[in-house]
Amino acid sequence: MDTPDSAGRWQQQTLIEAVRLRETLWGPVDDIAESRRARAAGGPFAQRVWRRAFALASRDGLLQAWKRWWQVARWLLALMAVLAIAAGAGAAAGALGDGSRPVNVLLALGALLGLHLLTLLFWLLSLFWSGKGAGGGSWAGDAWLWLSRRMVKGEASLVPRAFVAVLARQRSQPWLFGMISHGLWILALGSALGSLLFLLASRRYQFNWETTLLTPDAFVWLTERIGALPSLLGFAMPDAQTIRISDGLHVLDAQAQAQWSGWLLGALVVYGLAPRVLALGWSLWQWARRSASLRLDDSLPGLAELRPRLMPASEHTGVDVLASPDTVARIQGAAQADLPADAVCVVGLELAPEQAWPPPFLQPDMQDLGRVDSRAERLAILGRLHAAMPRRLLMVCEAGQTPDRGIVATLVEWAQLARQADVILIDGGAEPTSQERRRSWHERLDAAGFAPAQIHDQWPPAVKEETP
């Protein structure tokens, strides 16, 4: 079961932002019960804002939208990972060919590392070009976000929009997109390296170089510069004489071909895999640093206005009954016992004075919460329900009275604190209640979110069967 305390920091800030965006776009929502529960939970202002947002997101479907979108996003990442592995293997096979023709070492190296180096350079430039702001500089990250946002419609689209807004405020988008891009490139280059090893071990390839513009000496210098770093890690590199005679006009022995294979593998590791691993580590460090500093910006429009409601200097409880001149203090009874977690509770709300209580259908193993008429009694019931969420709550109302907003709001607030809640409409007078009045009750309760199976015009017999 989802609880406010089980959510991660990014989920918290995203849902808060989604609720804020919805209220900014479409106006304030009815949050009386949610704000009251946030105040009752206590804590600093940011924690109260989160508890209110979590309750509203759970009630209005934004929490479910987050789960659906995040699941789609993970599946997209998995699909992109599979495509990256396939692309890496295909690049390796294309660079070497089928072995029937000599392999041009420069063209093979360009096929393996060309796009990688261009995208890595573009990502590095984008970090400084945008001032390390919202620009991602990663086609893979942009594609992932664009595709995942296309998968959600309607009000649920607020969730990815809110996530992007939080990323922008934290300046974390380049690092998230960097993790995605570098991770995919590591998979692709790793797949290419594995494919190269397999192909070079299972086939005989002839390596050479071809150039019209460069002189042999210039090609020797270029090859030695490329192989300098890999050679420090133990990768083989052909000597100057071997490079010079690898012009396709001479027949090379097996040792020379093995040296060219080592040179190609070393270049792929040093100039392909190693930079991506370092960039991924840098992105992970930056992402962790920004995640640790993730805080609520309570100055945002829509959040600053919540402070008087969630952090009131005092709360007005009103006056239930004016004290008469002869009212004297009385000894209060003992505190009410806590409710068991699996209890079936019965409570009456604003019943007529002549209405008998407890009702005749009350069973010995049910918890009688009494009849409630005043605000203080409503708050007392609310506190007992907060302390232990009962298995079932039966709320008894008089069908003959008007279902005003105060009664319906109380029923909704109580119902959210029980695993299952039912409203029972009973006849309060000698004459049966008119069908028009009962229909009015059903319409108001249905508009408040009660399912038809939760509204009863008589005692529901299923309770007797479920009660242990």
Side-chain angles (χ1 to χ4, degrees):
M1 180 179 179
D2 293 299
T3 62
D5 298 327
S6 65
R9 291 183 177 181
W10 287 99
Q11 181 183 358
Q12 289 185 13
Q13 297 302 319
T14 300
L15 290 179
I16 291 174
E17 179 66 13
V19 172
R20 189 189 74 84
L21 285 176
R22 187 182 62 176
E23 292 185 296
T24 301
L25 295 173
W26 298 307
V29 297
D30 181 12
D31 65 341
I32 296 176
E34 290 75 16
S35 295
R36 180 179 296 172
R37 278 189 282 170
R39 291 195 303 269
F45 177 64
Q47 185 176 350
R48 298 188 185 197
V49 171
W50 160 237
R51 290 188 177 276
R52 171 187 178 270
F54 181 83
L56 290 173
S58 301
R59 185 192 73 183
D60 299 334
L62 287 176
L63 179 60
Q64 291 72 21
W66 161 271
K67 293 179 181 178
R68 289 195 301 270
W69 174 71
W70 197 238
Q71 183 178 21
V72 167
R74 289 197 300 265
W75 278 108
L76 281 174
L77 280 179
L79 177 60
M80 294 173 73
V82 172
L83 292 177
I85 293 173
L96 294 182
D98 57 3
S100 60
R101 299 181 59 184
V103 178
N104 188 315
V105 289
L106 284 185
L107 291 181
L109 192 61
L112 292 171
L113 296 180
L115 184 59
H116 145 70
L117 291 175
L118 285 176
T119 55
L120 181 62
L121 179 63
F122 177 68
W123 179 77
L124 290 172
L125 290 176
S126 70
L127 294 180
F128 300 96
W129 191 274
S130 62
K132 298 184 180 182
S138 164
W139 63 267
D142 288 332
W144 168 76
L145 182 61
W146 182 82
L147 288 172
S148 65
R149 293 182 69 171
R150 298 278 294 182
M151 298 294 180
V152 291
K153 304 293 183 183
E155 192 171 336
S157 63
L158 287 175
V159 171
R161 179 177 174 181
F163 183 67
V164 172
V166 176
L167 285 175
R169 282 200 294 270
Q170 288 295 119
R171 297 191 175 188
S172 299
Q173 186 167 319
W175 311 114
L176 174 62
F177 284 7
M179 290 189 298
I180 294 173
S181 177
H182 303 317
L184 293 175
W185 270 110
I186 288 173
L187 290 176
L189 293 171
S191 174
L193 179 62
S195 299
L196 278 180
L197 288 171
F198 174 78
L199 292 173
L200 291 172
S202 59
R203 286 181 179 176
R204 180 180 293 107
Y205 291 94
Q206 299 292 325
F207 293 96
N208 64 8
W209 55 267
E210 299 175 7
T211 179
T212 304
L213 182 63
L214 299 178
T215 64
D217 291 336
F219 189 83
V220 170
W221 178 88
L222 178 63
T223 304
E224 289 179 340
R225 298 289 81 75
I226 293 175
L229 284 178
S231 65
L232 296 178
L233 299 179
F235 288 96
M237 189 183 76
D239 55 30
Q241 181 60 26
T242 302
I243 298 173
R244 194 179 299 276
I245 65 173
S246 299
D247 55 1
L249 303 177
H250 301 80
V251 178
L252 301 180
D253 56 18
Q255 183 179 0
Q257 303 295 352
Q259 290 175 344
W260 277 117
S261 299
W263 179 86
L264 189 62
L265 291 172
L268 180 59
V269 170
V270 172
Y271 303 113
L273 273 174
R276 289 293 177 175
V277 171
L278 293 175
L280 177 61
W282 187 23
S283 298
L284 286 170
W285 176 69
Q286 290 284 358
W287 175 260
R289 192 164 65 91
R290 281 161 169 74
S291 298
S293 64
L294 190 61
R295 298 290 186 272
L296 177 70
D297 183 2
D298 55 11
S299 64
L300 290 171
L303 296 183
E305 293 81 358
L306 294 176
R307 187 173 290 276
R309 274 189 285 164
L310 299 181
M311 299 287 288
S314 61
E315 292 192 64
H316 177 67
T317 59
V319 178
D320 294 321
V321 180
L322 292 175
S324 59
D326 57 348
T327 299
V328 295
R330 299 185 347 178
I331 298 176
Q332 300 298 318
Q336 293 173 315
D338 292 338
L339 297 173
D342 60 345
V344 176
C345 301
V346 183
V347 62
L349 179 59
E350 294 192 10
L351 302 177
E354 60 273 13
Q355 179 67 48
W357 191 268
F361 51 68
L362 188 70
Q363 300 177 19
D365 51 1
M366 295 181 181
Q367 298 288 326
D368 179 15
L369 302 185
R371 53 195 303 163
V372 174
D373 297 302
S374 67
R375 175 181 174 83
E377 291 170 340
R378 294 187 187 191
L379 292 177
I381 295 296
L382 191 64
R384 298 187 71 185
L385 294 177
H386 263 297
M389 182 177 288
R391 177 167 60 91
R392 194 167 189 184
L393 178 63
L394 305 170
M395 301 172 288
V396 182
C397 298
E398 187 178 330
Q401 66 176 329
T402 302
D404 57 39
R405 289 197 305 172
I407 293 179
V408 174
T410 300
L411 293 174
V412 170
E413 193 168 12
W414 286 351
Q416 291 175 337
L417 298 176
R419 281 173 279 176
Q420 181 179 348
D422 298 87
V423 179
I424 303 172
L425 304 173
I426 63 173
D427 292 319
E431 297 294 329
T433 306
S434 66
Q435 291 300 318
E436 182 179 355
R437 180 57 58 87
R438 287 188 178 273
R439 185 163 53 252
S440 176
W441 269 99
H442 281 260
E443 290 173 355
R444 292 298 298 271
L445 293 174
D446 179 69
F450 286 93
Q454 294 177 274
I455 308 170
H456 311 277
D457 291 311
Q458 58 183 354
W459 175 247
V463 175
K464 298 181 181 180
E465 301 171 5
E466 294 178 6
T467 303

